[in-house]
Amino acid sequence: MEKKLEGILSILDKLNSRINIVTKEDLDEQYENLEDFRDLSSDLDILLNNFSSINKDDGEKVEEMLFELHRIITTFEWHFSEVSDLNTKILKVYKDKINNA
């Protein structure tokens, strides 16, 4: 998924280079966030791999796992939301900008 997110950022970067709506800093920040996204993916892999070893009768351990899963899911949502915001900024003006150039 990281490569796909990086591909989306690459597309947005190329389109933005024609219209300059999104700042370079905003795009750079999202590229930097890709490392955090990779780490998050790794955290999820570890959680999924360790699930079978968790005692399902230990409410504390299950709750810890569920809280960690919640943290991972909401952080993924945040990453996608940030990229979606960039996409929306470009989407709102791209066609008009290139048609009026």
Side-chain angles (χ1 to χ4, degrees):
M1 184 53 75
E2 306 92 44
K3 291 288 184 196
K4 291 177 182 173
L5 194 56
E6 187 174 11
I8 292 169
L9 287 174
S10 178
I11 288 170
L12 295 176
D13 195 4
K14 286 176 183 149
L15 292 174
N16 189 62
S17 70
R18 297 187 68 196
I19 60 170
N20 294 311
I21 292 299
V22 177
T23 67
K24 179 179 178 347
E25 291 79 19
D26 285 344
L27 283 163
D28 288 347
E29 180 181 348
Q30 293 312 310
Y31 277 109
E32 290 170 12
N33 285 343
L34 284 175
E35 187 58 37
D36 294 335
F37 190 89
R38 287 182 187 99
D39 292 342
L40 194 62
S41 292
S42 177
D43 290 349
L44 180 57
D45 288 340
I46 291 167
L47 183 75
L48 295 174
N49 289 332
N50 291 337
F51 174 73
S52 62
S53 66
I54 292 176
N55 178 356
K56 303 342 173 255
D57 293 324
D58 184 341
E60 291 293 322
K61 292 293 182 187
V62 171
E63 185 177 65
E64 285 176 26
M65 187 254 335
L66 291 172
F67 273 124
E68 181 63 4
L69 188 57
H70 176 72
R71 179 193 70 82
I72 292 169
I73 290 168
T74 57
T75 308
F76 274 134
E77 290 173 339
W78 177 83
H79 280 283
F80 284 107
S81 176
E82 290 290 299
V83 174
S84 179
D85 288 348
L86 292 179
N87 183 67
T88 301
K89 287 177 185 177
I90 293 171
L91 171 65
K92 286 181 177 179
V93 299
Y94 188 82
K95 186 171 68 173
D96 289 339
K97 285 269 189 180
I98 61 165
N99 286 342
N100 294 325

